[in-house]
Amino acid sequence: ALESIAYQTADVLHAMEQDAGVTIKSLKVDGGASANGFLLQFQSDIMDVTVHRPQCIETTALGAAYLAGLAVGYWKDKEEIRANWSLDASFTADMDAEKRNGLLKGWRKAVKCARYMGEDTE
């Protein structure tokens, strides 16, 4: 289940790279799943990027508070808010390309099989 999160994220980000014509070199992550070091290391390995996790991973409420603070003038601008971000951990890819490519090939095959099984073949 954790690996599937990383594979699905990789699929979306690769599509974004193709559409935008850019290469993603690092990710900043948050949310409950980002507390899992295995997931973040696998995400780093499968995408061959560095993944950064902040000290505060529950950012939905924090984001709302930042927006409210901007609205009432508590913070002067987005740069002041951006300065509040602090790193907890970074995960650097250490999987070799052959293994990565093999795992991605297996993922694509599994997705293709799932799509086939989901077709209406009556």
Side-chain angles (χ1 to χ4, degrees):
L2 289 173
E3 289 175 355
S4 74
I5 294 170
Y7 284 123
Q8 291 175 68
T9 301
D11 286 349
V12 169
L13 292 176
H14 287 310
M16 290 170 62
E17 286 178 320
Q18 289 176 346
D19 289 350
V22 298
T23 301
I24 295 171
K25 296 180 178 123
S26 67
L27 296 175
K28 285 185 176 178
V29 298
D30 59 38
S34 69
N36 189 295
F38 170 82
L39 170 60
L40 299 189
Q41 183 60 55
F42 191 74
Q43 187 75 72
S44 175
D45 287 338
I46 210 67
M47 291 190 64
D48 195 22
V49 299
T50 301
V51 176
H52 304 287
R53 177 177 59 204
Q55 287 186 347
C56 177
I57 62 171
E58 297 300 338
T59 57
T60 302
L62 184 60
Y66 282 150
L67 287 173
L70 275 172
V72 299
Y74 185 81
W75 288 286
K76 64 181 179 177
D77 57 25
K78 289 185 277 186
E79 292 304 316
E80 190 175 4
I81 293 171
R82 203 171 276 126
N84 290 330
W85 191 92
S86 58
L87 180 68
D88 173 52
S90 290
F91 299 82
T92 305
D94 66 1
M95 183 181 287
D96 66 70
E98 185 176 340
K99 182 172 182 180
R100 177 182 306 108
N101 292 335
L103 289 171
L104 288 167
K105 183 178 178 182
W107 169 251
R108 287 189 291 271
K109 183 176 180 180
V111 169
K112 185 184 278 188
C113 289
R115 285 184 176 162
Y116 173 77
M117 294 304 291
E119 290 178 3
D120 187 12
T121 57
E122 290 183 36

